[in-house]
Amino acid sequence: DALKMLARMSHRGACGCEENTGDGAGMLCAMPDSFFSSVLMDEQSFRLPPIGEYAVGQAFLPRDEAQRTKAKCIMERVAAKLGHDSLTWRSVPTNNRSLGKSAVAVEPIVEQWFLSSRGIKEALDTEQQLFILRKFIEAELALVGMGEDDVYFCGLSSATVVYKGQLTPEQVPEYYPD
């Protein structure tokens, strides 16, 4: 199983001065449509469109609420300009009990942004449109002084979702209960 294989990769990564602070680990998963459909219905009474018609942006966002709100507004505004509809946001459950102090000190807020997968760039395939959207968002964020240390997309796709962080491979399933 994928989590067992991830744990076997521990020898490939580095650890910080704390045994429980990794230099980064994660998993790329096929879009878990039935999971997302179920959890969004349970948490928000929200019904997703059919798979392929929506995308998920897994993002690390600022801990400061005002900065987080500002970043999300920019993301939604850029998406709207490119013809994407923002559908909903979901706070990703995390459990940082196994993380070292230095990882906790820089831990971001992790959210999933659900949006329509197709925009106005009809000549391009869906994943190309989402790549362009991501780059436009990053440029707009940079204009207001927000870089990758403030807002970072783990992924923005209609086919996959990425769960990662400043973790060791063994910490990934504990940190992300999803």
Side-chain angles (χ1 to χ4, degrees):
D1 109 297
L3 292 173
K4 192 179 292 182
M5 290 183 70
L6 177 64
R8 290 181 178 160
M9 298 299 291
S10 293
H11 70 284
R12 304 283 299 171
C15 289
C17 58
E18 301 164 325
E19 184 178 298
N20 54 353
T21 297
D23 72 338
M27 288 185 65
L28 171 72
C29 307
M31 186 65 71
D33 178 60
S34 59
F35 171 76
F36 284 148
S37 294
S38 175
V39 77
L40 286 173
M41 187 55 70
D42 291 347
E43 292 175 359
Q44 303 178 21
S45 297
F46 182 84
R47 185 177 308 280
L48 279 172
I51 191 164
E53 292 183 22
Y54 70 91
V56 178
Q58 179 115 337
F60 295 159
L61 298 170
R63 289 188 282 188
D64 178 79
E65 189 173 346
Q67 287 293 95
R68 189 168 56 253
T69 299
K70 181 178 181 179
K72 289 165 72 171
C73 286
I74 291 169
M75 293 162 71
E76 291 179 354
R77 185 179 33 137
V78 173
K81 283 183 185 177
L82 292 178
H84 296 274
D85 296 320
S86 186
L87 302 174
T88 192
W89 288 86
R90 175 179 181 252
S91 294
V92 178
T94 58
N95 174 357
N96 67 6
R97 281 184 253 139
S98 70
L99 303 187
K101 288 180 183 178
S102 59
V104 171
V106 296
E107 181 183 19
I109 300 295
V110 185
E111 291 198 36
Q112 290 165 333
W113 177 33
F114 293 82
L115 65 155
S116 62
S117 58
R118 303 286 300 167
I120 59 174
K121 306 267 186 203
E122 294 177 8
L124 300 175
D125 77 18
T126 301
E127 295 303 308
Q128 289 173 321
Q129 289 186 50
L130 294 168
F131 177 79
I132 291 168
L133 172 60
R134 178 179 176 169
K135 293 302 173 187
F136 274 54
I137 289 170
E138 289 168 350
E140 286 293 316
L141 290 168
L143 289 175
V144 298
M146 290 185 175
E148 283 189 353
D149 288 343
D150 304 299
V151 178
Y152 175 77
F153 279 103
C154 301
L156 177 59
S157 175
S158 65
T160 61
V161 65
V162 177
Y163 288 89
K164 69 180 191 176
Q166 190 175 345
L167 310 166
T168 65
E170 296 82 11
Q171 290 171 324
V172 173
E174 183 178 341
Y175 185 76
Y176 289 112
D178 277 3

